[in-house]
Structure formats: structure tokens, C-alpha cells
Amino acid sequence: MMRTITAAAAVLVLALLPVAAPWLQFVLTLAIAKGFAALGVAVLLRAGLISIGHAMFFAASAYAVAFLARAGVNDLGLLLILSVLGGALVGAIAGSFLVRYRAIFFAMLNLAVSMVFYALCAKLYGVTGGTDGMPVPVPAVFGVVLGEPAFKSVLFYFSLGLMVLVGLAVERYLNSPLGHALSAVHTNEIRLEYLGIPVWAVLLIAYVVSAALAGLGGAIAGLAIGRVVPDFAFWTASGHLVLIAVLGGIGGVPGAFIGALFLELLHSAAVTVTDTWNLIVGVTLIIVIMFMPQGVYGLFARKEAASL
């Protein structure tokens, strides 16, 4: 009960922040988008698998939004649904052979495939616009055409609502037999096979779910920024998503969004203070990782457990 009240209060605070500080709206929208992608990474971390290539799905859905808009699809809901399905499809294709590997091989193969995707996005000038990227026009919202400022506000609150709904859905997935099987893969994969549970299928489903979450984040980011560039798929973007997942804590769904919000707000604050903002961000991350090994969410979880 206390957890539900805390989560509701946090969502309410996020909803009111842009009213007090309008410039935060874009920062929070981008943080939520990255939170979705980091949640996808965290799903695989449940099985002990680290993906250093999930920015590929983030970028794939963002490019899907741009291509669909160019093709005449001009509705926010339809763009999000189709782009997420596109990201999930790419995840199903890549995951069908990647989930056969473990440990460093899984991580490096994900990185290699994502860098091939990045190279294609950067070099196919006639298709993707190369390093200049592709513009994403402002779509209609359920048939209503809005100006850019009004659309960005709608996108923020729509993303906030999706954060709650998708978060609850992922929570149910992780608490389902399929979700528990992920943890079992990490602890004793051979025993799971002896029980007759197909590990490949369990991991493929998790991989597709993970890719769809990253795709949702990429679609929202593309709409928020208004342009999609190949850097969305670069390896540093994938590393950033892993960092967010670990920083927030993989013990629960809120961890990915807490980590994304923490990192984006820290980055925004550090940039306004000094040109060497990387130093401030780096030192803060070292402190968090050293003194909160279970992530920021782990700190809240411990306090909640202590109060019971």
C-alpha cells in the first residue's frame, strides 16, 4: 500500500514539474523515453544477460516513426503502435540467434549487430539521410492537429501515462512464470531445461519484450526531438542505457525510470554550472555505485522494508 502511494505521489510530482518549470518538460519526456529503453535492458539483466546493443531497437523505432510520417501516417497513436511493432520485429529477428549465447559473447554480439545497424543508418544517405538524419514532423493527436508547443505538452503527459500503464504490465510479466523463469536462467539454466522448460523460448520472449520497450522509448524520443540521427544507435547510447538500468537498480520496474530521471536531471543541472559537466556527472555516478550497489531504487526499497 505504501509503495502504491509513493508511486502515485511521484507521478503527480512529475506531472506538476513542467507547470512550475516549463523547460523541464523536454528533459522529463526524454528521461521517460530512455527509462523505457533502460527497462528493456533491465528485463534481460534479470536473466544475467547484458546487452550493449539495445540502442539499435531504440533507433529502429525512431527511424520507423520518421519513415511512417514520410509515408503519410500522421497520428500519434498509430505511429507509436507501428514503430513499437517494428522494434519488436527487429528484436525477434536478432534475438532468434543472439539468445543462444551467454555472458560476454551475448554482450559483444549485440554490440556488433547494433554497430552494423548504425553503419547502415549513417551510410545510406538516400534512405536515412545519413549523418544529417531524418526530420519527424508534428503528428495529429487522435485527428486533432496541434501546434508544436501544444503537441510537446500532450506527448509528455501521454508518455507519463504510458510509463504507468507499461510499468504495471512489465511488473506483471516479471511476476509471471515467464518472469520467474528469467531469474531461473540466471541461477541454474540446466535445471530449468531438466524441468522441460525451453530456455531458448523464454529468452526469445524476453528479448522481444525488451526490444519493444526500447522501441517505445526510441519512438517517443524521435517525436520529442523532432529529428532522428544515426547516433541514436551508436554504442555509447547502448552503454548509456545499461548505465541507467544499473544506476536505477534492477530490483523493480521503477528503477529504470528513477535512473533515467536522476541522470537526465543531473546532466541538465551540471551543464548550467560548468563546462566540465562530465566531471560532476562522473563523480556523482561513482558515489552512487560505490555506496548504493543496488541502485537508487534499492535505497527506497530498503527504507520501505525497514518501515514494515
Side-chain angles (χ1 to χ4, degrees), residues 19 39 48 60 77 85 118 156 209 224 229 246 263 266 271 299:
V19 177
L39 182 57
L85 288 176
Y118 164 77
F156 167 67
V209 169
V229 294
V246 174
L263 203 57
L266 175 63
V271 167
L299 178 64

Side-chain angles (χ1 to χ4, degrees), residues 16-39:
L16 293 176
L17 275 176
V19 177
W23 64 271
L24 276 175
Q25 182 176 279
F26 174 76
V27 175
L28 294 177
T29 304
L30 204 56
I32 293 172
K34 291 181 180 179
F36 281 120
L39 182 57

Side-chain angles (χ1 to χ4, degrees), residues 149-277:
F151 170 74
K152 294 299 173 66
S153 295
V154 170
L155 180 63
F156 167 67
Y157 288 107
F158 190 67
S159 302
L160 193 61
L162 281 177
M163 181 183 75
V164 176
L165 295 176
V166 173
L168 290 173
V170 174
E171 186 81 32
R172 293 200 64 175
Y173 164 67
L174 293 177
N175 289 323
S176 71
L178 276 174
H180 290 304
L182 281 178
S183 301
V185 170
H186 183 36
T187 55
N188 199 324
E189 181 178 339
I190 296 176
R191 182 178 295 177
L192 206 62
E193 291 281 8
Y194 283 158
L195 291 173
I197 300 173
V199 172
W200 180 83
V202 169
L203 291 179
L204 180 59
I205 291 170
Y207 199 91
V208 173
V209 169
S210 178
L213 288 168
L216 177 57
I220 292 172
L223 289 164
I225 295 171
R227 177 167 290 273
V228 183
V229 294
D231 283 351
F232 276 29
F234 199 53
W235 70 269
T236 53
S238 293
H240 188 69
L241 297 178
V242 175
L243 176 61
I244 289 173
V246 174
L247 178 65
I250 62 172
V253 170
F257 296 103
I258 291 173
L261 289 166
F262 176 81
L263 203 57
E264 286 300 313
L265 290 173
L266 175 63
H267 176 227
S268 299
V271 167
T272 61
V273 173
T274 175
D275 291 336
T276 57
W277 57 268

